[in-house]
Amino acid sequence: MAAAAANFHVFNSEWLCATCPSHDVAFCRDVAQVVKAHAVNIEPLKALERIVSAKQIIFRQGESLNTIPIICKGWATSEVPLGDGRSQILSFLLPGNMISTALFFDTTIPSTIRSITDVQIRAFSRNQLKQLLATRSNLFDAFSRAWLQERSRIDQLAIDLGQRSAEERIARLILNLFERLNRIGLTRDNTLEFPLRQHHISRYAGLTVVHVSRILSDFRNKGVILLSERTLTITDLTALRHLAAIR
Amino acid sequence: MAAAAANFHVFNSEWLCATCPSHDVAFCRDVAQVVKAHAVNIEPLKALERIVSAKQIIFRQGESLNTIPIICKGWATSEVPLGDGRSQILSFLLPGNMISTALFFDTTIPSTIRSITDVQIRAFSRNQLKQLLATRSNLFDAFSRAWLQERSRIDQLAIDLGQRSAEERIARLILNLFERLNRIGLTRDNTLEFPLRQHHISRYAGLTVVHVSRILSDFRNKGVILLSERTLTITDLTALRHLAAIR
DNA sequence: CGTGAGCTTGACTTGTTTCAACCAACGTGG
DNA sequence: CCACGTTGGTTGAAACAAGTCAAGCTCACG
């Protein structure tokens, strides 16, 4: 861990760190101008930097934290173990996401955070960030947006799990990830890095790995996606949207 | 609608209105002392009172509100329609619950609120409540708790929908409602008012009405619950807990 | 008295899980 | 460098949980 000044740009609900290669504003080709216009620089704050290798537990459910960690690079899961081996993934954390907005109000982390890929994290002091939030209204707004988005995402998951078929859930997951990565400039030509294993998808979508495998094969056979070597290409966006929404 | 001074007592995450019969502190027999000790009186605020009869839409998804409404009496749902007739109930709102803590940060209401029974609501001005929150730290804490609880409940729903069987989901729903009502003194001898129709349960638990009917019959036959005339008695709490948690 | 909302039950269908076998890729230690 | 276990993915057959369709029932209400 090393402390360093944080040159973050807060864009919509993403907290993008200008000093991380994958976040460099220049890297976000399409959104670069918008980011520059709306970005909030929170340079005065120091952030603890931490690098975690793939498949490690970063924070354990119930652990106490007095920092607000943000994912700068890599993918992680926020998941809740059930004790009998089962576990539900509540969200996939991508670059720019806070681990949990709930950490502003409670030091206890409600879910286990586990890295999928190698992950780079920067953690702000909760108190310092709180103070900064109080004085900078645009930063406060950015935080509100992040919070509302986190909330609406979990709502959406509950809706999907309650009402939608396996096919719809997986199609929607792919589309969501695509859109989130797209917003921060991490896609190109309908193609994205896709480090998820089938067991991640299954634990997010409430399905068995076997069934996930069948459905992905199905998508491939239908020609809507191309997936190999941790890279996913949406070859027929219209068809995928159709699979995602309509029964 | 009528404006009146609000003599609310904020207890844990419940916002109990002393002037509503069902909330009268005296009514909360078991928790009366605790409430008195921890209650935060927010008398200076005026609240708009509103009474809605059963099965009405109180607020429609996407509607704009600049108040924070609280359920004083009766039950309601927070639900998201899917457009094709399906809809997912995200939470049941009981006396003392805010319609949505998200209303602090966004005027747009993210779900449709519909009354189950006749409902009495009091709505605070968002701005006034915000100001009061800033000056009274115990009120702020109460709000944080309400927010975190709302959040943890929706997380729990997603977990249940993703990982648990129909039987488990329904058993857990009954236990949750029991505990929530118990906390505000609205149960006696393992018995609670139970105004839910099977279609409410089905839309919350992501099941068909038919299947809910079968499972409830099953619970009755096993002798764990008694349910008739909108009244539910848990006759075998241990067995119900067992059904709720263990596969 | 008729109509609609809510509940129950039976027979049948379907989506998803379970179990099992097998394969490919990969890292590791002898 | 090979033998080996581990992780991740695919496929088939059978079992099962939940959905669908349909009929009939009660009850409240205008």
Side-chain angles (χ1 to χ4, degrees):
Chain A
M1 292 224 206
N7 191 6
F8 267 79
H9 297 265
V10 181
F11 171 59
N12 279 336
S13 53
E14 330 284 347
W15 301 62
L16 304 172
C17 172
T19 57
C20 305
S22 79
H23 278 171
D24 193 315
V25 173
F27 189 85
C28 309
R29 284 165 303 275
D30 297 336
V31 290
Q33 293 116 8
V34 198
V35 168
K36 271 181 196 142
H38 293 77
V40 179
N41 198 313
I42 48 179
E43 204 157 358
L45 284 195
K46 302 275 182 208
L48 279 178
E49 192 177 326
R50 183 174 162 194
I51 294 189
V52 181
S53 60
K55 293 188 247 181
Q56 303 304 308
I57 290 185
I58 308 179
F59 302 111
R60 211 174 287 271
Q61 187 184 36
E63 205 174 305
S64 187
L65 276 186
N66 37 39
T67 59
I68 314 278
I70 293 175
I71 304 276
C72 286
K73 203 177 169 181
W75 293 36
T77 61
S78 166
E79 54 189 272
V80 178
L82 257 67
D84 56 356
R86 289 181 284 181
S87 87
Q88 174 69 38
I89 293 180
L90 292 178
S91 70
F92 293 110
L93 302 172
L94 306 185
N97 294 153
M98 281 191 275
I99 292 296
S100 165
T101 51
L103 284 171
F104 264 88
F105 296 88
D106 189 5
T107 60
T108 306
I109 187 157
S111 55
T112 294
I113 310 296
R114 194 194 303 261
S115 59
I116 298 172
T117 64
D118 292 354
V119 155
Q120 183 177 350
I121 296 175
R122 297 192 166 216
F124 295 106
S125 143
R126 174 192 293 105
N127 291 335
Q128 283 179 26
L129 198 49
K130 262 187 171 170
Q131 278 175 21
L132 203 64
L133 237 61
T135 59
R136 299 219 201 156
S137 75
N138 50 1
L139 198 60
F140 178 81
D141 290 347
F143 169 69
S144 306
R145 277 194 300 272
W147 174 23
L148 289 169
Q149 197 174 78
E150 196 180 298
R151 173 60 196 272
S152 106
R153 240 174 234 148
I154 183 79
D155 284 3
Q156 201 50 60
L157 176 61
I159 295 166
D160 289 351
L161 291 175
Q163 305 294 328
R164 299 190 187 275
S165 69
E167 218 176 38
E168 285 175 312
R169 292 182 213 170
I170 294 179
R172 294 173 80 84
L173 170 60
I174 294 172
L175 284 171
N176 282 341
L177 291 172
F178 175 71
E179 276 155 25
R180 286 170 67 186
L181 289 171
N182 198 33
R183 234 179 299 136
I184 54 172
L186 290 178
T187 65
R188 197 193 299 243
D189 304 329
N190 286 355
T191 298
L192 52 141
E193 298 262 319
F194 198 81
L196 296 189
R197 300 293 162 152
Q198 294 188 345
H199 72 259
H200 292 117
I201 302 179
S202 79
R203 282 184 299 142
Y204 177 83
L207 301 166
T208 56
V209 215
V210 179
H211 201 48
V212 169
S213 170
R214 288 193 227 274
I215 288 174
L216 286 179
S217 302
D218 218 50
F219 284 2
R220 268 190 277 246
N221 293 339
K222 282 178 180 152
V224 299
I225 62 165
L226 225 69
L227 174 54
S228 63
E229 291 159 52
R230 317 287 128 229
T231 300
L232 188 149
T233 304
I234 301 175
T235 41
D236 189 341
L237 191 55
T238 320
L240 188 58
R241 289 225 177 90
H242 208 259
L243 286 169
I246 296 152
R247 196 198 275 273
Chain B
M1 289 222 206
N7 190 6
F8 266 80
H9 295 267
V10 181
F11 170 59
N12 278 337
S13 52
E14 328 285 347
W15 301 62
L16 304 173
C17 171
T19 57
C20 305
S22 80
H23 277 174
D24 193 315
V25 173
F27 190 86
C28 308
R29 285 167 301 275
D30 297 337
V31 290
Q33 294 117 7
V34 198
V35 168
K36 272 181 195 143
H38 293 78
V40 179
N41 198 312
I42 48 178
E43 204 158 357
L45 282 196
K46 302 273 183 212
L48 277 179
E49 192 178 324
R50 184 176 163 193
I51 294 191
V52 182
S53 60
K55 294 188 245 181
Q56 303 304 309
I57 289 184
I58 308 179
F59 302 111
R60 211 174 287 271
Q61 187 184 36
E63 206 174 304
S64 189
L65 276 185
N66 37 39
T67 59
I68 315 279
I70 294 175
I71 304 276
C72 286
K73 203 177 170 181
W75 293 37
T77 60
S78 166
E79 54 189 271
V80 178
L82 257 67
D84 57 356
R86 290 181 285 179
S87 87
Q88 173 69 37
I89 293 181
L90 293 179
S91 70
F92 293 110
L93 303 172
L94 305 184
N97 294 154
M98 282 190 273
I99 291 296
S100 165
T101 52
L103 284 171
F104 263 87
F105 297 88
D106 190 3
T107 60
T108 306
I109 188 157
S111 54
T112 293
I113 311 295
R114 193 194 305 259
S115 59
I116 298 171
T117 63
D118 292 355
V119 155
Q120 184 178 348
I121 296 176
R122 299 193 162 215
F124 295 105
S125 141
R126 174 192 293 107
N127 291 335
Q128 283 180 25
L129 198 50
K130 261 187 172 170
Q131 278 174 22
L132 204 63
L133 237 63
T135 59
R136 298 219 202 154
S137 74
N138 50 359
L139 198 61
F140 178 80
D141 290 346
F143 170 69
S144 305
R145 276 195 300 272
W147 175 26
L148 289 169
Q149 196 175 78
E150 195 180 300
R151 174 59 196 272
S152 106
R153 242 175 233 147
I154 183 77
D155 283 3
Q156 201 51 59
L157 176 61
I159 296 166
D160 288 352
L161 291 174
Q163 305 294 328
R164 299 191 186 275
S165 69
E167 217 176 40
E168 287 175 312
R169 291 181 216 169
I170 294 180
R172 294 173 80 83
L173 170 60
I174 294 173
L175 285 171
N176 282 342
L177 291 172
F178 175 71
E179 277 156 24
R180 286 169 69 186
L181 290 171
N182 198 33
R183 235 179 298 137
I184 54 173
L186 290 179
T187 64
R188 197 193 300 242
D189 303 331
N190 286 355
T191 299
L192 52 140
E193 298 262 319
F194 198 81
L196 297 189
R197 301 291 161 156
Q198 294 188 348
H199 71 258
H200 292 118
I201 302 179
S202 79
R203 281 184 300 141
Y204 176 83
L207 302 165
T208 57
V209 213
V210 178
H211 203 223
V212 170
S213 170
R214 287 193 227 273
I215 287 174
L216 286 180
S217 304
D218 218 50
F219 284 2
R220 269 191 277 247
N221 294 339
K222 283 178 180 153
V224 298
I225 61 166
L226 225 69
L227 173 54
S228 63
E229 292 158 52
R230 317 287 128 231
T231 301
L232 188 151
T233 304
I234 301 176
T235 43
D236 189 342
L237 191 56
T238 321
L240 188 58
R241 288 226 177 90
H242 207 259
L243 286 169
I246 296 153
R247 195 199 275 271

